[in-house]
Each structure stands twice: as C-alpha cells, then as structure tokens.
Amino acid sequence: SIHDLAREPTRTTHWDGVRSFQARTQLQAMRVGDLALFYHSSTEPPGAVGLCRVVREAYPDHTQFDKKSEYYDPRAKKDAPRWFMVDVEFVERFPVMVTLAEIKADPELATMLVVRRGQRLSVQPVEASHMQHILERARAKTQLA
C-alpha cells in the first residue's frame, strides 16, 4: 500500500510479483525519474491514492526463482528471467482517494486504459495530460475537504 511505501526507512522499495506479459512490457519501458500513480485495486472502492517515482529500471524479479514464493515460476531461469521489477520511491500520498468511479465519470479521463473494460493491468501507461488531471483532482479534493 501507499502507507507501507511511505513507512519504508528509505521510502523506496522494489515492485515485484507482476505476472502479466503486458504489464511486464510496461515495467520494462519505465525509466528512472518516471512518475507513477499509486493505485489501490484491492480496496473498496479502488482508486488512485498517491504518487511514486521510478528510481531503478527493470531488473530480474528475484521471487520468480524462490520456490517458497507465491510468485515462483519454474520456467524462469537465472540466465533467462521471465519476470522483472522496478524500484520506486514514495513521492506523495493523496489525502483523499481519486476513485475509479470518479475517473470513469470524468470525460477528460475517458480514454485512460484503466477506464476501459478488460484493461486493468497492474502496470499501464498514463498519458501526461491524464496524470496532470488526476493530480489536480486529488489536490482540489483536498482543498474542499
């Protein structure tokens, strides 16, 4: 969660356990300095709760080699890894979540991938204009609260 990331002593951690080929491709496209929305998908309601920054580009996810891990993949080999992760650092926690319902209801965000049915990957690109709009919404909600 965003709270866990903020509590890390260095405010950084690795983002492991991604097991979708599409999401893996997106992880591999991330560059140091890229900002990412931190999205809670397993909450009710789901939504954007903060912001993090990539501090290390994609490298092999160690959990794919660990037989005790829920993310173990017997097809992965150290010399031919299948899964990757990035390191991220905490940037900001939104005082109020921007919910998926709010995102879906906003015409300016209608083309975001997270709005499209079947496009709920754990990692997906966000256009700069969409990122800016969500940041503005999160900060406006804070001022209203």
Side-chain angles (χ1 to χ4, degrees), residues 112-128:
M112 277 189 79
L113 290 179
V114 73
V115 172
R116 297 184 192 162
R117 181 168 251 157
Q119 291 294 321
R120 301 249 169 73
L121 296 172
S122 58
V123 184
Q124 54 190 281
V126 175
E127 293 178 25

Side-chain angles (χ1 to χ4, degrees), residues 33-121:
D34 285 352
L35 292 174
L37 289 171
F38 204 110
Y39 186 88
H40 284 181
S41 58
S42 298
T43 59
E44 191 52 51
V49 296
L51 199 58
C52 59
R53 178 181 298 111
V54 176
V55 294
R56 183 176 177 193
E57 295 177 10
Y59 61 100
D61 181 336
H62 62 274
T63 63
Q64 67 190 307
F65 308 118
D66 181 357
K67 291 182 180 179
K68 295 178 183 172
S69 171
E70 67 181 296
Y71 301 114
Y72 173 67
D73 185 340
R75 295 166 294 185
K77 307 295 178 220
K78 295 243 181 192
D79 61 343
R82 293 170 52 90
W83 306 111
F84 293 81
M85 60 186 181
V86 297
D87 289 355
V88 295
E89 72 177 345
F90 175 84
V91 173
E92 172 183 358
R93 182 178 55 159
F94 303 153
V96 181
M97 175 189 283
V98 179
T99 68
L100 178 58
E102 291 169 327
I103 293 169
K104 285 181 171 183
D106 189 327
E108 291 191 46
L109 301 174
T111 59
M112 277 189 79
L113 290 179
V114 73
V115 172
R116 297 184 192 162
R117 181 168 251 157
Q119 291 294 321
R120 301 249 169 73
L121 296 172

